[in-house]
């Protein structure tokens, strides 16, 4: 085809353009796993509907933390097995930080959109004494879950083991009371406390404290994921040949 003609020059793209292009590619790849994505999105809805008859606002916690499982699971699927693809993209001129930024752009956008839809479902179905806390909690769930899934993807090379770790971590957060020090120290401790506020339960931690806790986890997980991903997708390019390394014109005559 004409587009692969050897004399055609490539138009250089800016870093932002490469990031958007990579995000589009990753989105198309993730869309091929549509059945898994549908099941992931249905999971927090099932958690909420199964728990809404319980007392004490547990349905909000079950649904909100179930949403984290869906978003972190999508992050796992988007990153696992992509090391070879990312290495080829790096060799073609992409920077590892651009590839990670593309995944964050894609997954954060989808996660925030899903959080808004899920917040509307929870509010319409059960109401909330504090709808602002509900929306903030679910948005923070998405923003924490995305880098959490990416970090698990770079630490564990296989989907089964990474999925089991994710199930264990979120399961622990679900069964721990939000007021316990252990739950407060975990990645989703801040959103969990805001979900208690949204449900009308006692909220010993202020909104700004929960927000700061979540922000620290978002930054820490993103930095850890970026460092490990950059190291794993590095490409060793051959050293350029200097004049001393070239054969003498007389050699071989």
């Amino acid at each position: 085809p004409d587009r692969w003609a050897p004399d055609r020059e490539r138009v250089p793209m800016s870093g932002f353009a490469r990031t958007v292009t990579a995000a589009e590619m990753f989105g198309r790849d993730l869309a091929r796993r549509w059945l898994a994505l549908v099941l992931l999105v249905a999971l927090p809805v099932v958690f909420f509907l199964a728990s809404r008859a319980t007392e004490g606002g547990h349905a909000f916690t079950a649904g909100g933390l179930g949403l984290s499982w869906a978003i972190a699971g999508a992050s796992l699927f988007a990153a696992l097995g992509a090391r070879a693809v990312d290495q080829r993209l790096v060799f073609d001129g992409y920077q590892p930080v651009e590839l990670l930024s593309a995944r964050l752009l894609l997954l954060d956008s989808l996660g925030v959109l899903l959080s808004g839809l899920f917040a509307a479902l929870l509010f319409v179905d059960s109401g909330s004494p504090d709808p602002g806390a509900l929306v903030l909690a679910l948005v923070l769930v998405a923003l924490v879950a995305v880098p959490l899934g990416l970090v698990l993807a770079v630490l564990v090379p296989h989907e089964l083991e990474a999925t089991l770790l994710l199930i264990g971590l979120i399961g622990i957060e679900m069964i721990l009371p939000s007021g316990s020090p252990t739950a407060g120290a975990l990645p989703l401790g801040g959103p969990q406390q805001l979900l208690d506020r949204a449900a009308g339960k006692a909220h010993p931690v202020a909104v700004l404290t929960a927000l700061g806790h979540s922000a620290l986890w978002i930054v820490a997980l993103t930095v850890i994921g970026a460092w490990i991903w950059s190291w794993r997708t590095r490409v060793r390019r051959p050293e350029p040949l200097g004049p001393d390394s070239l054969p003498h014109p007389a050699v071989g005559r």
Side-chain angles (χ1 to χ4, degrees):
D2 180 67
R3 66 177 182 273
W4 297 112
D7 59 342
R8 180 169 181 173
E9 296 183 359
R10 292 184 179 181
V11 178
M13 292 191 297
S14 65
F16 178 75
R18 287 196 298 266
T19 299
V20 173
T21 302
E24 181 184 355
M25 291 189 298
F26 296 147
R28 289 199 301 267
D29 182 68
L30 190 61
R32 296 189 184 101
R33 310 187 69 165
W34 62 269
L35 181 57
L37 293 177
V38 169
L39 294 175
L40 285 173
V41 172
L43 189 63
V45 177
V46 173
F47 282 173
F48 168 69
L49 294 178
S51 304
R52 64 178 178 175
T54 61
E55 299 294 333
H58 179 68
F60 278 18
T61 300
L65 295 184
L67 180 66
S68 70
W69 154 250
I71 296 172
S75 299
L76 283 176
F77 295 152
L80 280 172
R83 178 181 175 184
V85 175
D86 284 354
Q87 285 180 328
R88 290 197 294 269
L89 290 173
V90 170
F91 191 78
D92 198 40
Y94 281 83
Q95 297 297 323
V97 67
E98 293 171 348
L99 300 177
L100 181 64
S101 298
R103 287 193 172 90
L104 290 174
L105 175 64
L106 171 68
L107 295 167
D108 281 341
S109 299
L110 293 177
V112 171
L113 175 62
L114 187 59
S115 296
L117 295 175
F118 196 60
L121 171 65
L122 266 61
F123 184 77
V124 170
D125 186 82
S126 300
S128 171
D130 194 341
L134 177 62
V135 174
L136 179 60
L138 294 180
V139 169
L140 290 177
V141 162
L143 296 180
V144 173
V146 168
L148 176 62
L150 293 177
V151 167
L152 290 178
V154 298
L155 291 177
V156 184
H158 304 293
E159 287 187 0
L160 177 59
E161 289 82 353
T163 302
L164 290 175
L165 282 176
L166 183 61
I167 291 174
L169 177 61
I170 296 179
I172 290 173
E173 298 218 19
M174 280 187 173
I175 63 176
L176 288 175
S178 60
S180 67
T182 303
L186 292 174
L188 295 169
Q192 185 176 358
Q193 292 163 345
L194 290 176
L195 287 169
D196 283 350
R197 176 187 287 268
K201 297 169 64 175
H203 41 82
V205 177
V207 173
L208 289 179
T209 302
L211 186 61
H213 174 274
S214 300
L216 288 175
W217 271 108
I218 292 169
V219 172
L221 291 171
T222 301
V223 170
I224 293 171
W227 182 79
I228 300 176
W229 200 254
S230 297
W231 179 75
R232 287 199 170 188
T233 56
R234 70 193 188 281
V235 174
R236 295 182 178 178
R237 301 179 184 272
E239 295 292 335
L241 296 176
D244 295 337
S245 61
L246 297 176
H248 194 274
V251 175
R253 290 184 179 180

